[in-house]
Amino acid sequence: MSDPVTLAETRLHLRLASDLSSDENAEITRMISVATEYCENFCNRSFTTKTRTAVFDDFPVSWNRKNLGLHLPMGKVSSITSVVYYTNTFVSTTLAASKYRLVGASDRAHLYPAMGEVWPSDVACEPEHIVVTYVVDGTASVPTSVKQAILLVVGSLYEYREDGVIDNAGLALVKAPKGADDLLSPYRLRIA
């Protein structure tokens, strides 16, 4: 996983010298990862390439094929690693890749049965018995405003390293900067 903002860019944003100790560099690198995760969670999309899992209770059943898809959250899905489900007898079964297809992999990816196929009907009637593992590719083109939002969040984390700061009015909890949320808002995906 490579974060969209580099350590050098972050040091420049924070106006820090390039000869920091390895411990300080490690802490800033950790803050970059935390800020990236915050931005990903705010936008409901990935800005890094990573393997994710989605868990479902059952395969959808519908007379209308368009409602048969399993929604895979967090943005552009580049590949499906596996689809595993438990049968009525609680046997873990991996669905063959020829039995499903990925549709709409840009921002709203869905997994559908392959043409001429249907979802298995022998799925256990228990919650979370279908697990889809997939790769999300978010590094293709991270917008500049998203990178700036990540830098703003890192700046806040660097400045306020504790949960709250004490000012004249008492204890004020530190939140992510509003400017970061404003920069991220156009890239936010609505959760289906």
Side-chain angles (χ1 to χ4, degrees):
M1 175 180 92
S2 175
D3 290 315
V5 174
T6 66
L7 179 60
E9 290 171 318
T10 306
R11 280 198 313 247
L12 182 64
H13 175 76
L14 296 174
R15 293 176 174 68
L16 298 173
S18 60
D19 60 344
L20 295 174
S21 70
S22 61
D23 290 341
E24 189 74 7
N25 281 335
E27 183 161 354
I28 293 170
T29 301
R30 182 183 52 77
M31 289 178 185
I32 293 168
S33 294
V34 168
T36 301
E37 286 178 21
Y38 171 82
C39 293
E40 288 176 337
N41 290 332
F42 183 89
C43 291
N44 300 315
R45 71 171 68 220
S46 186
F47 298 117
T48 58
T49 298
K50 62 179 76 167
T51 300
R52 293 193 170 271
T53 58
V55 180
F56 302 94
D57 294 341
D58 204 353
F59 287 113
V61 178
S62 174
W63 298 109
N64 183 349
R65 282 198 61 85
K66 75 175 190 171
N67 296 330
L68 286 176
L70 297 171
H71 174 68
L72 304 177
M74 297 305 283
K76 183 178 180 179
V77 175
S78 60
S79 65
I80 304 296
T81 306
S82 67
V83 178
V84 178
Y85 70 97
Y86 286 90
T87 65
N88 291 331
T89 56
F90 296 101
V91 175
S92 177
T93 305
T94 301
L95 196 60
S98 62
K99 300 285 186 186
Y100 57 83
R101 61 191 169 100
L102 182 63
V103 177
S106 59
D107 282 338
R108 298 188 184 281
H110 287 81
L111 196 63
Y112 283 90
M115 293 299 201
E117 297 288 340
V118 294
W119 290 124
S121 60
D122 63 339
V123 179
C125 294
E126 295 290 327
E128 302 181 351
H129 271 68
I130 303 166
V131 179
V132 180
T133 306
Y134 57 101
V135 177
V136 178
D137 183 10
T139 60
S141 59
V142 177
T144 306
S145 54
V146 171
K147 291 181 180 182
Q148 186 62 37
I150 292 170
L151 291 172
L152 288 174
V153 174
V154 171
S156 179
L157 291 170
Y158 188 81
E159 182 70 25
Y160 306 105
R161 294 183 186 213
E162 300 300 325
D163 200 17
V165 293
I166 298 177
D167 58 7
N168 292 339
L171 179 67
L173 294 177
V174 176
K175 293 177 148 182
K178 180 168 177 359
D181 291 352
D182 291 342
L183 288 169
L184 294 169
S185 289
Y187 304 100
R188 195 171 202 178
L189 287 176
R190 185 173 56 90
I191 296 177

